Amino acid sequence: MFPVLIIGYGNVLRGDDAVGPLAARCLAARLADQPVRIIEAHQLLPEMAWLLSQAQLVVLIDAAIGAAAGAVRWQRLERAEEQRSIALGVVGHNLTCQQLLAGCQALYGASPEVLLIAVAGKTFEVGEELSEAVQEVLPSLVDQVERIVRQHLSGVH
Amino acid sequence: MSQTIVIDPITRIEGHAKITIRLNDVGEVAEAHMHVTQFRGFEKLSEGRPFREMPSLMARICGICPVSHLIASAKACDAILAVRIPEPAVKLRKVLNLAQIVQSHALSFFYLSSPDLLLGMDADPVKRNLFGVLEADPELARGGVRLRQFGQQVIELLSGKRIHPTWVIAGGVNHPITPEARDTILAQIPEVKRIAQRSLEWFKPLLGNYREEIQTFANFPTMFMGLVGPDDTLEFYDGKLRLIGAEGQTVNDDIPVERYGEYIGESVEDWSYLKSPYYRPIGYPSGVYRVGPLARLNIVARCGTPLADKELAEYKQIDASERMSSFYFHYARLIELLHCIEKIEQILDDPDCLSKHVFASASANSSEGIGVSEAPRGTLLHHYRIDENGLIVWANLIIATGHNNLAMDRGVFQVAQHFIKENQITEGALNRVEAVIRTFDPCLSCSTHAVGQMPLHVQLIDSQGEVVDEIAR
């Protein structure tokens, strides 16, 4: 068991899609002395359901489209039982966060608190650089996540 | 009026492919093909790169089986160094390869194929997926997730990364295993072994429910090829390359790998980017053979681990002509899964695996190197030539899935012919056309993955090229 799980996911070779893994990397350095499990991943996978089941608080950091570059959307995911219909339709080794949460509940009977942070990107072409807008927002995003995690760990949250 | 059915893309496989089925004037299947529609070109891309970069470059071919390419590529580079790599490094590479097979077989069986097996070929496609399995049989789903997680964890403990590790290098591996990592792996063996055994016990009685599929899923005589260890034992890392015939007779007991070009031809068809290897002495297309779990179990006498050997003996009770069916890939995959877990335990129980001597340092001593290993899906071959500066000037890769291309193509035709009648295309029939492909577990260079539900698009096109019917899900 670990109180907090952070998964930053995306393709680090696809421009702003790297924002999740890069945020996770920064947080790993800042929270190295804390009981926090931090994972950089290309994508969410069904076997991560077990990791979710071991945590009280899960923070998922992903890139997004459909908003102005650099816009950050914070969303608390609904409990898995309300998301069961979303779980149906998954085909293999790539999941949405709702499907992952549904899987966690169905497989292991656990429903951790899940915070999804979606950062709108500008470019997802091949390349290892973030756009200016996303570069700008990354430090404050990391600060905020660190604060939330520390609050949670101190029992204040 | 003749018609064409197109299934594009095929779902629950690794990569992108489509199927076309051409019907004749009376609605019978006249022709069917599987087309691989993605193109990667890694052979050309590697030209000019230093040969020592090849293992990590080649691992990028695939997000599911990077370890397989890493191993075959490193073996080709070992041959360029012309050194014998330390035995502890061989053992650790073997563990990595076995872990790769565990996670890949778990993905294939539990995530991709068990929905068909548990819920039925005709089940609602909305539920015919891992979460459908989870609802119907949570223990089975949990077991599949656990096995895949175990394989990935072993890869991570050895190499530091689950996907695209760079730990295997020309001359060995770049660091030894720690006693803590070894103990962590060994502590999990009893649990995952039980899951693998339980999965076999679940699967074997199901075979009776799939007689029609067994009879029609690429059930035809072909040759089988794979590596074989000493005493005809199952082998994934080294050994001799054996080819047997449909009657079980030896066609070539030890194909000389350095002259593979004399034995394995590669035909190119204009309807697919995937090359079609064939056994050159017999010719194209009669020289069709299969590789992978079914082939490996058909060419060996034993697995070399107690539990898997017991299962293999039971499997071999099935009539050899019936074991021509690709439906038995599923069965063979589960036996291999059990074997790989036992083998990981065997190797890690050997104190030699903790040795710090895991790398042989050398410069290039040969201008050419060939590496062969068994990937989850079958025999994998990497062949490189370098210039005087150690830069790659030519590369050739024969990928496991490619070996099976001809058999998959014929399998699609066989299934389509049996299940599609008089222009009647049911959802279950479509699924079976895809399912025969899934038995081979093709991996079509899947370093990128489809998001969410992959669509199935079927078009009926008449001889004039007009769409007369269309189904999509």
Side-chain angles (χ1 to χ4, degrees), chain B residues 407-463:
Chain B
M408 284 192 285
D409 198 55
R410 281 176 57 182
V412 164
F413 179 60
Q414 189 180 37
V415 170
Q417 217 174 19
H418 185 83
F419 288 99
I420 298 176
K421 302 278 186 202
E422 297 170 356
N423 294 343
Q424 294 299 308
I425 311 158
T426 64
E427 166 59 36
L430 285 181
N431 187 40
R432 285 175 177 86
V433 174
E434 294 184 277
V436 67
I437 298 294
R438 282 185 213 118
T439 62
F440 290 88
D441 186 25
C443 182
L444 308 172
S445 304
C446 52
S447 56
T448 55
H449 302 281
V451 175
Q453 185 177 20
M454 291 175 73
L456 178 75
H457 187 199
V458 182
Q459 288 184 316
L460 294 185
I461 302 168
D462 67 19
S463 55

Side-chain angles (χ1 to χ4, degrees), chain A:
Chain A
M1 293 290 285
F2 31 85
V4 180
L5 170 70
I6 299 172
I7 304 176
Y9 57 104
N11 188 336
V12 293
L13 301 176
R14 285 277 184 179
D16 288 337
D17 203 33
V19 66
L22 292 179
R25 207 169 294 170
C26 295
L27 287 160
R30 296 212 194 163
L31 297 167
D33 58 341
Q34 299 295 319
V36 179
R37 178 92 187 255
I38 301 177
I39 292 171
E40 291 177 38
H42 283 254
Q43 60 203 18
L44 299 178
L45 301 166
E47 47 274 20
M48 288 176 179
W50 181 82
L51 290 172
L52 260 69
S53 75
Q54 301 297 298
Q56 296 163 351
L57 170 66
V58 178
V59 181
L60 303 173
I61 309 171
D62 189 14
I65 52 173
V72 181
R73 185 164 55 94
W74 300 71
Q75 183 190 354
R76 279 195 193 282
L77 291 190
E78 298 301 316
R79 294 288 174 187
E81 56 266 26
E82 295 164 29
Q83 299 288 350
R84 290 308 298 275
S85 58
I86 297 169
L88 300 175
V90 64
V91 288
H93 46 273
N94 185 23
L95 303 181
T96 66
C97 44
Q98 288 90 350
Q99 287 166 340
L100 182 62
L101 183 56
C104 172
Q105 189 190 45
L107 281 168
Y108 306 108
S111 292
E113 187 180 346
V114 179
L115 177 63
L116 172 65
I117 303 166
V119 183
K122 183 180 180 184
T123 174
F124 295 91
E125 296 305 310
V126 174
E128 290 186 87
E129 283 208 357
L130 297 177
S131 65
E132 272 183 32
V134 173
Q135 271 184 50
E136 218 165 87
V137 79
L138 185 59
S140 62
L141 168 72
V142 171
D143 287 345
Q144 280 177 279
V145 175
E146 184 185 1
R147 197 161 48 243
I148 289 168
V149 169
R150 288 190 185 278
Q151 278 175 352
H152 179 84
L153 292 172
S154 67
V156 175
H157 184 67

Side-chain angles (χ1 to χ4, degrees), chain B residues 24-286:
Chain B
N24 61 19
D25 293 344
V26 289
E28 293 165 339
V29 173
E31 194 182 340
H33 285 298
M34 185 186 85
H35 313 258
V36 176
T37 53
Q38 64 185 91
F39 178 73
R40 306 298 301 284
F42 267 75
E43 289 149 324
K44 198 72 190 162
L45 195 144
S46 64
E47 288 177 12
R49 305 306 308 170
F51 80 92
R52 288 180 199 276
E53 282 185 5
M54 289 301 277
S56 55
L57 268 181
M58 293 298 103
R60 295 278 166 175
I61 288 173
C62 179
I64 296 296
C65 39
V67 167
S68 306
H69 290 286
L70 199 57
I71 298 277
S73 180
K75 286 184 72 181
C77 293
D78 295 342
I80 289 173
L81 298 177
V83 292
R84 189 170 165 193
I85 74 164
E87 196 52 33
V90 172
K91 286 176 180 161
L92 293 178
R93 282 183 180 184
K94 282 184 176 181
V95 173
L96 190 76
N97 201 29
L98 293 163
Q100 156 72 23
I101 290 166
V102 169
Q103 70 90 8
S104 180
H105 279 7
L107 173 68
S108 170
F109 185 84
F110 294 96
Y111 289 32
L112 305 182
S113 286
S114 78
D116 294 331
L117 301 170
L118 177 69
L119 307 171
M121 296 282 174
D122 298 295
D124 180 354
V126 174
K127 293 201 170 188
R128 219 170 43 212
N129 54 52
L130 181 66
F131 277 84
V133 173
L134 192 154
E135 284 190 330
D137 191 340
E139 192 181 18
L140 181 75
R142 258 195 307 273
V145 169
R146 180 71 183 101
L147 287 171
R148 183 155 152 80
Q149 186 192 35
F150 169 75
Q152 288 183 316
Q153 196 190 3
V154 173
I155 292 169
E156 190 175 14
L157 283 166
L158 284 166
S159 67
K161 281 175 82 178
R162 288 173 182 223
I163 301 171
H164 302 139
T166 55
W167 176 66
V168 181
I169 53 176
V173 297
N174 65 18
H175 60 80
I177 188 174
T178 63
E180 295 74 28
R182 182 201 57 175
D183 294 346
T184 302
I185 296 167
L186 286 175
Q188 298 176 60
I189 295 285
E191 181 201 355
V192 291
K193 209 187 278 181
R194 271 197 306 277
I195 294 171
Q197 286 180 283
R198 200 176 64 211
S199 304
L200 269 160
E201 292 314 313
W202 173 80
F203 175 75
K204 286 184 285 186
L206 280 185
L207 286 167
N209 302 340
Y210 288 95
R211 301 311 307 171
E212 198 174 2
E213 284 77 13
I214 288 170
Q215 282 164 17
T216 55
F217 272 32
N219 188 353
F220 39 69
T222 68
M223 296 178 285
F224 295 99
M225 187 178 81
L227 291 178
V228 184
D231 301 324
D232 294 344
T233 305
L234 185 60
E235 173 63 47
F236 297 99
Y237 180 81
D238 228 330
K240 58 185 181 182
L241 191 55
R242 173 181 288 170
L243 191 80
I244 68 163
E247 312 294 324
Q249 77 281 18
T250 302
V251 176
N252 193 324
D253 192 47
D254 192 1
I255 295 173
V257 169
E258 66 283 358
R259 292 191 284 124
Y260 72 91
E262 293 173 29
Y263 297 90
I264 298 172
E266 290 184 274
S267 173
V268 177
E269 300 291 351
D270 57 8
W271 37 265
S272 180
Y273 281 123
L274 189 60
K275 289 184 277 190
S276 301
Y278 60 98
Y279 187 58
R280 198 183 280 277
I282 292 180
Y284 180 82
S286 307

